[in-house]
Amino acid sequence: GIQVEQSPPDLILQEGANSTLRCNFSDSVNNLQWFHQNPWGQLINLFYIPSGTKQNGRLSATTVATERYSLLYISSSQTTDSGVYFCAVDAPGTYKYIFGTGTRLKVLA
Amino acid sequence: NAGVTQTPKFQVLKTGQSMTLQCAQDMNHNSMYWYRQDPGMGLRLIYYSASEGTTDKGEVPNGYNVSRLNKREFSLRLESAAPSQTSVYFCASTFAHGYTFGSGTRLTVV
């Protein structure tokens, strides 16, 4: 089945710094989503981005489907950005998303 | 508020006991999913239902059964709980774009 790899696995930033998280996938995908899991365990959908670029405030994401990767950019990080960021992909012909193992981000005040 | 509701939030079971995790959504979504999350790992798909009346196995279906009771409700049953099923369980739903997750059920099997 399709494999999803995220990097880096862990990231520590000082408040105000920028960062880039990467998601690589092993095969063609129909859809791709980015999620944030906060320290209390709640999962929030950030982006639905099968291709192209989207922006939402300090966050933006780019997916290059032909090269099988997606990037999540966090600018001017805040302590509330801490948590785990997951990438998930939906392979063609299926209705199921497969998740990567996540990037654990800690933003220090 | 619209969303995905999971019950219970916490549960402790003894090995061999059975229980059903409930999930309901009020967004008229077609597809519903059950995932489990173990410490330090991503989410792994247990079962999913692409539409009312259909269910399919995901990555880790062994030891679980599901029922898509109607469009709103998708339940997950553990017939004989094992310590390896200690995990946090998340239900999700979607229509076309983007998942909405429930708040999770933290299950401990002793």
Side-chain angles (χ1 to χ4, degrees), chain A residues 33 37 41 48 86 95-97, chain B residues 33 35 37 45 97-99:
Chain A
Q33 298 185 63
Q37 187 170 38
Y48 170 82
F86 291 106
Y95 292 91
K96 53 187 181 181
Y97 278 85
Chain B
Y33 306 81
Y35 285 86
Q37 185 177 28
L45 182 64
H97 304 312
Y99 270 12

Side-chain angles (χ1 to χ4, degrees), chain A residues 47 53-62 71-75:
Chain A
F47 293 102
T53 297
K54 290 187 177 180
Q55 180 153 8
N56 184 2
R58 296 181 296 102
L59 273 60
S60 64
T62 295
L71 302 174
L72 178 69
Y73 306 96
I74 304 174
S75 65

Side-chain angles (χ1 to χ4, degrees), chain B residues 69-109:
Chain B
L69 304 171
N70 47 55
K71 194 170 186 179
R72 290 187 63 248
E73 298 172 287
F74 188 39
S75 62
L76 179 71
R77 182 160 178 85
L78 287 71
E79 291 292 350
S80 180
S84 60
Q85 294 178 304
T86 293
S87 190
V88 180
Y89 291 84
F90 288 97
C91 177
S93 70
T94 186
F95 174 64
H97 304 312
Y99 270 12
T100 300
F101 276 97
S103 56
T105 296
R106 186 173 295 274
L107 176 66
T108 302
V109 183

Side-chain angles (χ1 to χ4, degrees), chain B residues 21-99:
Chain B
L21 280 63
Q22 306 286 353
C23 175
Q25 53 91 7
D26 57 5
M27 297 169 287
N28 203 34
H29 285 173
N30 287 334
S31 301
M32 298 184 73
Y33 306 81
W34 278 104
Y35 285 86
R36 62 176 287 174
Q37 185 177 28
D38 300 306
M41 297 182 68
L43 281 76
R44 291 184 293 169
L45 182 64
I46 305 171
Y47 271 94
Y48 67 103
S49 171
S51 61
E52 185 179 357
T54 68
T55 61
D56 286 284
K57 295 178 181 179
E59 303 168 90
V60 289
N62 291 345
Y64 305 95
N65 286 302
V66 290
S67 296
R68 184 74 182 267
L69 304 171
N70 47 55
K71 194 170 186 179
R72 290 187 63 248
E73 298 172 287
F74 188 39
S75 62
L76 179 71
R77 182 160 178 85
L78 287 71
E79 291 292 350
S80 180
S84 60
Q85 294 178 304
T86 293
S87 190
V88 180
Y89 291 84
F90 288 97
C91 177
S93 70
T94 186
F95 174 64
H97 304 312
Y99 270 12

Side-chain angles (χ1 to χ4, degrees), chain A residues 52-89:
Chain A
T53 297
K54 290 187 177 180
Q55 180 153 8
N56 184 2
R58 296 181 296 102
L59 273 60
S60 64
T62 295
T63 297
V64 184
T66 53
E67 297 186 22
R68 300 179 184 170
Y69 73 89
S70 182
L71 302 174
L72 178 69
Y73 306 96
I74 304 174
S75 65
S76 303
S77 58
Q78 300 176 357
T79 56
T80 52
D81 295 330
S82 296
V84 184
Y85 290 81
F86 291 106
C87 164
V89 300

